[in-house]
Amino acid sequence: MVYRIPLFAILLLSTLAGATVCDVTKYGAKGDGKTKDTAAIAKAVNSCVAAGGGTILFPPGRYLTGAIKLGSNLTLEVEAGATILGSPDPEDYPLYDSVWAGDGHTGGSGKTISSLIYAEDAENVTIRGRGTIDGQGENWWRRMGRVPRGQQRTPEQEAEFAKLANGRPRLIEVVRCKFVVIEQLHLINSAVWTIHPFLSEFVRVDGVTIQNPVPSPNTDGINPESSRNVQILNSRIDVGDDCVTLKSGMNEAGRKLGRPDENITITNCVMMRGHGGVTIGSEMSGGVRNVVVSNCVFQGTDVGIRVKSQRGRGGVVEGFAASNIVMQDVRSAFTITTFYQGQDKPGDEFPVNEGTPTFRDFVFNNII
């Protein structure tokens, strides 16, 4: 005889099994888009951590917050109708030591600003939902405002510009993490890079929509850096810089760390309006290898496939296969260069040495 367990019983058993759900509104989050909910959200996170793991739930509402730091065995769930709004205030994002001190995002201080959603040295981290995460990047881009040649910033402009001394907050960043899933979300207006897996492995980004207005400076879509076993699937990326970029550090620092970006698959994605559809570099000194791009559409990007480096970088890009790609209204289908900045030239000034980038074993086919 076969016994069938009713669905309601299965749901009841799941509840009794002790799955922890920490609704941020139960910890004091207002969700009105005006009150800073940072402290309430931190209480919800800490409650889930104390329980050994669980789900931090954002029901419908608009949650203004500074940095949210996640730990192991946590799921951040943004329900349909819920929006997480990144605070425009730098003091709401703690500073931490940067592996790449002086990489252009740390202001040369060795410290870099936290991301809006951040995890470090964690396992089994999931960020998902049908809701929206809005970095409110316009507040940060405005502070970068350039003044006409020959003019100086006003004292007010200087004060705003000084707030960028430690960079801008990425939207989602995981550092030295394992088993990470980012899925379904609508990610918009990131102040700088949108999704940044760094020194991480077994990362899956699936079914996300990323929209950063054009133009918006350095608002790359997904940037795996010195990470391995990364899947980018079923996503739509429309940004003010490169859509997907693979990186592994700059110059001597990247070569010394020696952590390549490797085993990367990018499939079933639509890339729109970015500088490059899929880009490798220019920071690739630790190497990039074993990359497959397949079944993608690039529409309106400046470049389709973009591999860029320069003398002094060193490093090897190898094992790169791209197939079954359609490009429409793309200015340059392929740009592959080891003279990215355009100031250095081949010759005695740049001999072949450890600072010479190497590209090898590329296969491109079935590209329209």
Side-chain angles (χ1 to χ4, degrees), residues 150-161:
Q151 294 186 19
Q152 294 183 338
R153 293 187 180 94
T154 66
E156 292 79 10
Q157 289 172 325
E158 282 290 353
E160 287 298 304
F161 186 73

Side-chain angles (χ1 to χ4, degrees), residues 22 24 41 44-45 48 54-58 70 74-78:
C22 298
V24 297
I41 293 167
V45 172
C48 273
T55 299
I56 300 102
L57 180 67
F58 289 78
L70 302 177
L74 293 184
T75 295
L76 187 148
E77 177 91 28
V78 188

Side-chain angles (χ1 to χ4, degrees), residues 269-346:
C269 293
V270 176
M271 318 294 191
M272 302 181 68
R273 297 196 299 172
H275 291 179
V278 172
T279 295
I280 297 177
S282 65
E283 307 96 316
M284 41 59 71
S285 301
V288 177
R289 63 191 183 203
N290 307 338
V291 177
V292 173
V293 182
S294 63
N295 303 339
C296 290
V297 172
F298 301 163
Q299 186 174 49
T301 61
D302 292 343
V303 182
I305 301 293
R306 189 184 196 196
V307 186
K308 54 182 180 175
S309 187
Q310 64 187 51
R311 293 301 192 264
R313 288 280 190 268
V316 178
V317 178
E318 60 184 342
F320 180 23
S323 64
N324 298 345
I325 296 172
V326 174
M327 305 185 192
Q328 181 184 29
D329 299 328
V330 171
R331 296 179 189 176
S332 173
F334 310 103
T335 296
I336 301 174
T337 178
T338 58
F339 296 97
Y340 169 57
Q341 288 192 333
Q343 297 173 346
D344 47 3
K345 297 179 181 179

Side-chain angles (χ1 to χ4, degrees), residues 71-276:
S72 294
N73 307 315
L74 293 184
T75 295
L76 187 148
E77 177 91 28
V78 188
E79 288 190 333
T83 299
I84 296 176
L85 298 168
S87 168
D89 300 325
E91 57 268 25
D92 290 329
Y93 301 87
L95 300 181
Y96 63 91
D97 293 332
S98 172
V99 174
W100 311 130
D103 70 348
H105 296 282
T106 65
S109 67
K111 298 284 186 179
T112 189
I113 194 169
S114 175
S115 301
L116 177 59
I117 298 173
Y118 179 71
E120 183 177 27
D121 298 310
E123 295 188 1
N124 304 319
V125 177
T126 299
I127 305 167
R128 71 183 185 195
R130 293 293 185 181
T132 299
I133 303 177
D134 183 348
Q136 301 201 97
E138 60 275 5
N139 298 289
W140 301 86
W141 309 326
R142 185 170 58 249
R143 291 173 177 138
M144 299 176 67
R146 297 178 179 177
V147 298
R149 185 186 296 265
Q151 294 186 19
Q152 294 183 338
R153 293 187 180 94
T154 66
E156 292 79 10
Q157 289 172 325
E158 282 290 353
E160 287 298 304
F161 186 73
K163 294 178 180 179
L164 302 176
N166 296 105
R168 294 168 274 159
R170 297 172 171 98
L171 204 68
I172 297 173
E173 183 173 41
V174 292
V175 179
R176 294 184 300 273
C177 292
K178 289 184 178 181
F179 312 118
V180 176
V181 176
I182 303 169
E183 60 185 0
Q184 300 180 324
L185 292 159
H186 187 200
L187 308 174
I188 62 175
N189 301 322
S190 181
V192 65
W193 299 352
T194 307
I195 298 176
H196 182 216
F198 183 31
L199 297 168
S200 295
E201 55 186 323
F202 303 108
V203 177
R204 176 167 59 87
V205 180
D206 193 349
V208 302
T209 299
I210 300 176
Q211 290 180 288
N212 298 321
V214 178
S216 54
N218 311 114
T219 56
D220 297 34
I222 304 171
N223 287 14
E225 183 172 18
S226 295
S227 294
R228 62 171 67 102
N229 305 323
V230 177
Q231 298 173 292
I232 300 171
L233 314 167
N234 309 316
S235 296
R236 177 179 176 270
I237 306 170
D238 183 356
V239 293
D241 208 317
D242 293 323
C243 295
V244 174
T245 306
L246 311 182
K247 298 177 179 287
S248 62
M250 183 186 295
N251 300 346
E252 184 179 357
R255 296 195 298 272
K256 182 177 179 180
L257 184 63
R259 278 289 302 268
D261 232 13
E262 60 183 336
N263 308 341
I264 314 289
T265 57
I266 303 163
T267 191
N268 298 344
C269 293
V270 176
M271 318 294 191
M272 302 181 68
R273 297 196 299 172
H275 291 179

